[in-house]
Amino acid sequence: MNTSELKSRTKAFSISIIGLVEQLPATIACRVVANQIIRAGTSVGANYRAVCRSRSDREFIAKMEIVLEEADETLFWLELIHDKGWISKPIIDELWTEGNELTSIFVASLKTVKAKLHK
């Protein structure tokens, strides 16, 4: 997968997270979780763009680790939303699948660059 495709994919993920948040019930607890997931979920795409501007392998690693952390946090909030039953399972499953796939891509990219540095 090339950089342009991954930029599009992470942006689409951000938009999907926003859509999910717009469907959450209007309760105090949901607002707190909504703030958390929207920050984490949209920062995946925003921070991936920063990764694409990395000037060195070390900078790439540092920035990609932030992307990975935000993606993992987003998965946590999706689990919480699912466990509370606030959103239907098919919607959560679709976002969960995409979040997991993106996380796998980020992990693989990090492993590749780290291996290159240790040669």
Side-chain angles (χ1 to χ4, degrees):
M1 174 167 295
N2 68 39
T3 302
S4 179
E5 291 170 331
L6 203 47
K7 277 184 179 179
S8 294
R9 203 165 157 182
T10 57
K11 182 179 178 182
F13 183 69
S14 296
I15 290 168
S16 294
I17 291 294
I18 292 168
L20 170 91
V21 166
E22 290 172 340
Q23 295 178 50
L24 286 170
T27 66
I28 293 171
C30 283
R31 272 180 275 174
V32 170
V33 172
N35 286 335
Q36 294 294 331
I37 194 170
I38 207 160
R39 284 179 39 225
T42 57
S43 72
V44 171
N47 283 305
Y48 180 73
R49 286 177 174 251
V51 167
C52 295
R53 293 187 308 273
S54 297
R55 294 167 298 215
S56 68
D57 288 342
R58 292 192 193 287
E59 186 177 1
F60 175 91
I61 290 167
K63 290 179 183 220
M64 185 60 89
E65 285 177 344
I66 293 168
V67 174
L68 182 58
E69 182 179 330
E70 296 295 340
D72 187 55
E73 181 180 340
T74 302
L75 291 173
F76 169 79
W77 296 117
L78 286 171
E79 283 179 33
L80 196 69
I81 291 167
H82 171 267
D83 291 352
K84 288 296 294 174
W86 289 334
I87 298 289
S88 69
K89 186 170 173 14
I91 294 169
I92 295 291
D93 286 350
E94 185 177 328
L95 282 166
W96 177 261
T97 299
E98 180 63 0
N100 267 326
E101 288 178 11
L102 288 170
T103 299
S104 295
I105 293 166
F106 302 145
V107 167
S109 295
L110 274 169
K111 284 182 179 179
T112 300
V113 175
K114 285 180 179 181
K116 179 179 150 186
L117 275 181
H118 292 100
K119 283 186 178 180

